[in-house]
Amino acid sequence: MFKATIFVTLKDSVLDPQGVAVKGSLHSLGFVQVQDVRIGKRLEVLLDSESREQAEEQVQAMCEKLLANPVIENFAYEVEEVA
Amino acid sequence: MRFAVTVFPGSNCDIDAIHAIKDVLGESVTAVWHKESDLSKYDAIILPGGFSYGDYLRTGALAAHSPVMEGVREAAEKGKLVIGICNGFQILLETGLLPGAMRKNDHLQFRCSIPTLRVENNETPFTLQYREGELIQIPIAHMEGNYYCDEVTLAELKRNKQIIFRYAGENPNGSIDDIAGICNRNRNVLGMMPHPERAVCDWMGSSDGMKLFTSMLQYWKENYGAA
Amino acid sequence: MQLKQLVKSLPHEPTPEKIRDQALYKELGLREEEYGHIVRHLGRLPNWTEVGIYSVMWSEHCSYKHSKALLRKFPTQGPRVLQGPGEGAGVIDIGDHLAVVFKIESHNHPSAIEPFQGAATGVGGIIRDVFSMGARPVALLNSLRFGELTSPRVRYLFEHVVAGIAHYGNCIGIPTVGGEVVFDPAYDGNPLVNAMCVGILEHDKLQKGIAKGVGNPVIYVGASTGRDGIHGATFASEELNEASEEKRPAVQVGDPFMEKLLLEACMEMVDQGLLLGIQDMGAAGLTCSSAEMAAKGEHGMELNLDLVPQREKGMTPYEIMLSESQERMLLVVEKGMEEKVKAICDKWGLQSAVIGHVTGDQRYRLYFQGELVADIPVKTLVDDAPCYAPEQKVPDYYRENETICPVEQVKDVDPQEALLQVVSSVNMASKRWVYQQYDHMIRTSTAVRPGSDAAVIVIRGTDKALAMSTDGNGRYVYLDPEQGGRIAVAEAARNVVCAGAEPLGLTDCLNFGNPEKPEVYWQFAQAIEGMSAACRELETPVVGGNVSLYNETKGQAIYPTPIVGMVGLIEKREHITTQAFKAPGDVILLLGETDAELGGSELQYLVTGKISGRPPRLDLEKERNVQQTVLRAIRSGWVRSAHDLAEGGLALALAESCIDGKLGAHVSLETDLAPVVHLFSESQSRILLTVSKENVDHVRTLAEENGVACTVLGEVTDHPELTIQVNGQVVIHQPIAKLTQRWEEAIPCAMSPSSI
């Protein structure tokens, strides 16, 4: 069994209105050091793949096909073997 | 003219679209469940508003992979008319039938109101009964209508006159270049955040949406003879 | 004779003896004498599961033990009532084989803790109550109370409650068309979130929450059961305090997408006539729905808890039975129909499971891992809940208020200054900030959108429409619960009359403090007295509702706040009327009389920072006459606009009608009262009309016949100004643009204090 942890984030060029709002709130709470906030998603996917290579291939495909929208989002992932 | 309205789990403006076509426009309309992929019987397809699949993952992302979208893609390729309204627009973006992507409104709130739109291009099957530059009032109701595309795409949209509607007053969602609706290069696929089916009788607050449907009908009659 | 099976206790749970000896039932909110009743009903000591079941069934929320006796005072019957209180929602005939189904319910406690999900699940619950009657939900309303927006915590609660309501209603696709929001320090620690749903039903589709027919299957449909919301009903029946944070049940998360699927699946089952009984698993979850269905059907029920779809591992019977996971429905169908139900659920991607069957012996039996874990005479859960009539005491404040004269407090205020203050008070100002977050146009049947006295929904396939409104002024009720109760009903009725509708009936949500306090119980009893009197006089039966007690924080009760949700029928769409002025030259008429009544008024609050004295008095006969006059005038086609005079009095009503109609008005009146008193008095039974010149005499004659005072105030103008002359002197002269700006910006400004 493999566990893929997938991170989907907005591309740097795309404004993140939620991030802007959170930054504002952090500033008003006194965290004035905060320069930027970007909000993304973390997905955990459990796969019954034959090998790590196969699992990575599948995760790459599912990110491209569904989990991230290439127009506005980037993705990255880690795959680890679990019991 | 035979209309189809696609129904996904979570669609909720399907009945409004059906009402507008059947009771107000007086044309035939069929609700098509998302598991059907053959849409060859229909001349026009409406992807209605709502929260298909709960808007989970990203708005429109899960619906974009359902069987009925194969039928929609085929219909678009054959030159039939396809209109995506609100969530339907989001689905068209996710399938790639229209360029760009949708983000949350810049104020982070859902917004329901009746904004003024400007008809930017009346040389499409959807807008031929409007005047160019005509100001019309069509309701909106969405959380994610903040249209985005990169500079290159935007330049292309402008060059090809694919921007069909812009918000004429306050931009209610922060969309790039005040875009409210765009079409594909062939002019037969339209995506728009405002809901024309909610503006078909005066008592609804506006009847300006009616001309969109009568334009489609006129186009079809002129090009394909029969109604 | 069947061998009596032994009811098991699970190894890790307290034994029946320990529950008794250590009085563990008290932790579940049961009193010692109540525990005694349970032992007598069972003829033995209850195990942990059984104590849990009794504790939720006998909680205030499910059993109305402190309110049952008083609620009997409400008139609940009428020639059009098809279903009164006791089912998911009330049902009233509207002709054409159609009926309107509606109910209001509170979600105050959950919203105080987690405002977004608390409000969202409140909306989800009330929608299920309506569609479990077989009706298609067509509209939502909500009535909200918060502390003052100067507090960051209140702004947080307000913002997230509104977002939660919007999230659920918008996603499921039912328009939120109306409601009200009031801010007052009385609700600082204890906001009120009351949600109302209205549905339309074809007569022959009416469903009931009932279990009948021995051997018929009991089917569970919808979301899986988790550990969320366990003891929500009990939690809602206690005061909030510092310990509430720890005691609170896991927050329930609403899934409007799931509910949309559940709604459509249930509608298909209703259309196919598959259901014998259906009930929402709402408060007290599976326990309440199954026990009530069995008791109402005079049957028993056996459930196998291993078959209940579960989201978490290792759940005990206690947890399964008391979970308040959302978006679940319990069905009873004729044996043999299981497959048809399953096919519909499969189509909508919903899970369903047969979890038990109906029995004939009126016992409520639960099995878990092959063992009997509860065996209860089912009627004792539902019909034998204790009933209390606590002591009542007239509060000191009520006596003290008798000598206070509110008029003296405000009579020197400049009327113009008063108007500017009132229009920019967050209570009186535009609620656009709220309702633009609600999809109020979906289903394309909304003929009057939020912002007028009542919202109007057209009924497709007929020329009819429904008008609906929620109302309840806690300040008045606090100052005089009996008068305040009358006003709550009368004003809600007046609102729908102003839309052109005949009031049909109402649902109420009674939000009060701790009933075990004699002063609170007095308020409660008096308010019900006043509401009942108004219901009888106006012939608007109470067909359903909800009681929310224990609305207190740190021992401080909210204002007693009964909320009335009124529904009225508009016979013809051409009768639909709004408050906006329509055309220059129209004559402005005032029906009703103005007295010096400023106790509990918005002006008093703005000037003195508190409320005191006696509230306005309501003469029920006058109220009835004024409503009938207006309705007849509207039906005769004479009325261009109609607006109820409420908080803020005549001056605010004129301003609102100008703002809405984007027109001006010139008004001139004679009075013995000080101008500011006349203009801001909140005397009841008054309605502002505009009519075209040729119809003025018609309306005056009609009013005279009905014994209603009718005064010509002035006319609508196309000068964008509001000018009010009193006894020949101009006391208010303001551009509409300025009033509009103050009125529109009050809430947005209050919500972003840093931007001022």
Side-chain angles (χ1 to χ4, degrees), chain B residues 112-127:
Chain B
C112 178
S113 62
I114 309 185
T116 303
L117 310 181
R118 192 170 45 246
V119 179
E120 299 289 1
N121 179 354
N122 68 343
E123 294 175 347
T124 80
F126 307 98
T127 53

mmCIF file of all heavy atoms in Angstrom, chain B residues 112-127:
data_model
loop_
_atom_site.group_PDB
_atom_site.id
_atom_site.type_symbol
_atom_site.label_atom_id
_atom_site.label_comp_id
_atom_site.label_asym_id
_atom_site.label_seq_id
_atom_site.Cartn_x
_atom_site.Cartn_y
_atom_site.Cartn_z
ATOM 1 N N CYS B 112 -25.587 37.573 -4.810
ATOM 2 C CA CYS B 112 -26.809 37.441 -5.599
ATOM 3 C C CYS B 112 -27.348 38.835 -5.827
ATOM 4 O O CYS B 112 -27.670 39.542 -4.865
ATOM 5 C CB CYS B 112 -27.838 36.588 -4.857
ATOM 6 S SG CYS B 112 -29.406 36.415 -5.710
ATOM 7 N N SER B 113 -27.421 39.261 -7.085
ATOM 8 C CA SER B 113 -27.929 40.599 -7.388
ATOM 9 C C SER B 113 -28.292 40.642 -8.870
ATOM 10 O O SER B 113 -28.171 39.643 -9.571
ATOM 11 C CB SER B 113 -26.880 41.664 -7.049
ATOM 12 O OG SER B 113 -25.730 41.464 -7.837
ATOM 13 N N ILE B 114 -28.744 41.806 -9.322
ATOM 14 C CA ILE B 114 -29.078 41.946 -10.749
ATOM 15 C C ILE B 114 -28.172 43.025 -11.334
ATOM 16 O O ILE B 114 -28.542 44.194 -11.383
ATOM 17 C CB ILE B 114 -30.566 42.310 -10.956
ATOM 18 C CG1 ILE B 114 -31.463 41.340 -10.170
ATOM 19 C CG2 ILE B 114 -30.913 42.275 -12.437
ATOM 20 C CD1 ILE B 114 -32.959 41.533 -10.411
ATOM 21 N N PRO B 115 -26.968 42.652 -11.751
ATOM 22 C CA PRO B 115 -26.047 43.656 -12.291
ATOM 23 C C PRO B 115 -26.391 44.023 -13.734
ATOM 24 O O PRO B 115 -27.159 43.332 -14.391
ATOM 25 C CB PRO B 115 -24.691 42.941 -12.242
ATOM 26 C CG PRO B 115 -25.036 41.506 -12.418
ATOM 27 C CD PRO B 115 -26.386 41.310 -11.770
ATOM 28 N N THR B 116 -25.814 45.121 -14.187
ATOM 29 C CA THR B 116 -25.967 45.536 -15.580
ATOM 30 C C THR B 116 -24.801 44.985 -16.389
ATOM 31 O O THR B 116 -23.648 45.078 -15.974
ATOM 32 C CB THR B 116 -25.984 47.074 -15.659
ATOM 33 O OG1 THR B 116 -27.047 47.542 -14.826
ATOM 34 C CG2 THR B 116 -26.214 47.546 -17.077
ATOM 35 N N LEU B 117 -25.124 44.374 -17.531
ATOM 36 C CA LEU B 117 -24.093 43.847 -18.422
ATOM 37 C C LEU B 117 -24.098 44.658 -19.713
ATOM 38 O O LEU B 117 -25.118 45.215 -20.102
ATOM 39 C CB LEU B 117 -24.391 42.389 -18.806
ATOM 40 C CG LEU B 117 -24.712 41.384 -17.710
ATOM 41 C CD1 LEU B 117 -24.941 40.012 -18.353
ATOM 42 C CD2 LEU B 117 -23.594 41.312 -16.701
ATOM 43 N N ARG B 118 -22.952 44.680 -20.357
ATOM 44 C CA ARG B 118 -22.879 45.269 -21.688
ATOM 45 C C ARG B 118 -22.667 44.145 -22.696
ATOM 46 O O ARG B 118 -21.809 43.286 -22.496
ATOM 47 C CB ARG B 118 -21.726 46.285 -21.765
ATOM 48 C CG ARG B 118 -21.780 47.156 -23.029
ATOM 49 C CD ARG B 118 -20.789 48.305 -23.000
ATOM 50 N NE ARG B 118 -19.488 47.847 -22.549
ATOM 51 C CZ ARG B 118 -18.897 48.222 -21.414
ATOM 52 N NH1 ARG B 118 -19.476 49.098 -20.622
ATOM 53 N NH2 ARG B 118 -17.717 47.748 -21.091
ATOM 54 N N VAL B 119 -23.476 44.149 -23.750
ATOM 55 C CA VAL B 119 -23.321 43.146 -24.811
ATOM 56 C C VAL B 119 -22.149 43.598 -25.681
ATOM 57 O O VAL B 119 -22.228 44.617 -26.361
ATOM 58 C CB VAL B 119 -24.615 43.026 -25.657
ATOM 59 C CG1 VAL B 119 -24.423 41.991 -26.759
ATOM 60 C CG2 VAL B 119 -25.797 42.682 -24.766
ATOM 61 N N GLU B 120 -21.055 42.854 -25.632
ATOM 62 C CA GLU B 120 -19.838 43.292 -26.316
ATOM 63 C C GLU B 120 -19.793 42.820 -27.762
ATOM 64 O O GLU B 120 -19.097 43.399 -28.581
ATOM 65 C CB GLU B 120 -18.598 42.770 -25.575
ATOM 66 C CG GLU B 120 -18.477 43.276 -24.143
ATOM 67 C CD GLU B 120 -18.133 44.755 -24.060
ATOM 68 O OE1 GLU B 120 -17.997 45.408 -25.108
ATOM 69 O OE2 GLU B 120 -18.013 45.266 -22.920
ATOM 70 N N ASN B 121 -20.463 41.733 -28.047
ATOM 71 C CA ASN B 121 -20.437 41.196 -29.403
ATOM 72 C C ASN B 121 -21.809 40.626 -29.699
ATOM 73 O O ASN B 121 -22.259 39.695 -29.031
ATOM 74 C CB ASN B 121 -19.357 40.095 -29.486
ATOM 75 C CG ASN B 121 -19.288 39.472 -30.868
ATOM 76 O OD1 ASN B 121 -20.111 39.781 -31.736
ATOM 77 N ND2 ASN B 121 -18.320 38.598 -31.064
ATOM 78 N N ASN B 122 -22.496 41.231 -30.688
ATOM 79 C CA ASN B 122 -23.833 40.716 -30.997
ATOM 80 C C ASN B 122 -23.814 39.852 -32.250
ATOM 81 O O ASN B 122 -24.858 39.519 -32.794
ATOM 82 C CB ASN B 122 -24.857 41.853 -31.103
ATOM 83 C CG ASN B 122 -24.589 42.735 -32.320
ATOM 84 O OD1 ASN B 122 -23.496 42.694 -32.889
ATOM 85 N ND2 ASN B 122 -25.588 43.505 -32.719
ATOM 86 N N GLU B 123 -22.618 39.501 -32.704
ATOM 87 C CA GLU B 123 -22.541 38.650 -33.890
ATOM 88 C C GLU B 123 -22.287 37.208 -33.480
ATOM 89 O O GLU B 123 -21.310 36.579 -33.879
ATOM 90 C CB GLU B 123 -21.447 39.172 -34.834
ATOM 91 C CG GLU B 123 -21.819 40.538 -35.383
ATOM 92 C CD GLU B 123 -20.723 41.152 -36.233
ATOM 93 O OE1 GLU B 123 -19.584 40.641 -36.210
ATOM 94 O OE2 GLU B 123 -21.021 42.136 -36.915
ATOM 95 N N THR B 124 -23.132 36.710 -32.612
ATOM 96 C CA THR B 124 -23.056 35.308 -32.209
ATOM 97 C C THR B 124 -24.481 34.761 -32.217
ATOM 98 O O THR B 124 -25.439 35.529 -32.166
ATOM 99 C CB THR B 124 -22.489 35.144 -30.782
ATOM 100 O OG1 THR B 124 -23.552 35.409 -29.849
ATOM 101 C CG2 THR B 124 -21.318 36.047 -30.494
ATOM 102 N N PRO B 125 -24.609 33.439 -32.262
ATOM 103 C CA PRO B 125 -25.960 32.858 -32.255
ATOM 104 C C PRO B 125 -26.729 33.195 -30.982
ATOM 105 O O PRO B 125 -27.946 33.097 -30.967
ATOM 106 C CB PRO B 125 -25.691 31.343 -32.322
ATOM 107 C CG PRO B 125 -24.309 31.204 -32.845
ATOM 108 C CD PRO B 125 -23.555 32.415 -32.396
ATOM 109 N N PHE B 126 -26.028 33.598 -29.939
ATOM 110 C CA PHE B 126 -26.683 33.830 -28.649
ATOM 111 C C PHE B 126 -27.095 35.281 -28.451
ATOM 112 O O PHE B 126 -27.854 35.600 -27.546
ATOM 113 C CB PHE B 126 -25.742 33.444 -27.500
ATOM 114 C CG PHE B 126 -25.197 32.042 -27.619
ATOM 115 C CD1 PHE B 126 -23.938 31.809 -28.153
ATOM 116 C CD2 PHE B 126 -25.969 30.960 -27.211
ATOM 117 C CE1 PHE B 126 -23.442 30.520 -28.264
ATOM 118 C CE2 PHE B 126 -25.478 29.666 -27.329
ATOM 119 C CZ PHE B 126 -24.208 29.443 -27.847
ATOM 120 N N THR B 127 -26.529 36.165 -29.256
ATOM 121 C CA THR B 127 -26.726 37.591 -28.976
ATOM 122 C C THR B 127 -27.209 38.381 -30.179
ATOM 123 O O THR B 127 -27.230 39.607 -30.144
ATOM 124 C CB THR B 127 -25.399 38.220 -28.493
ATOM 125 O OG1 THR B 127 -24.370 37.926 -29.450
ATOM 126 C CG2 THR B 127 -24.990 37.683 -27.132
#
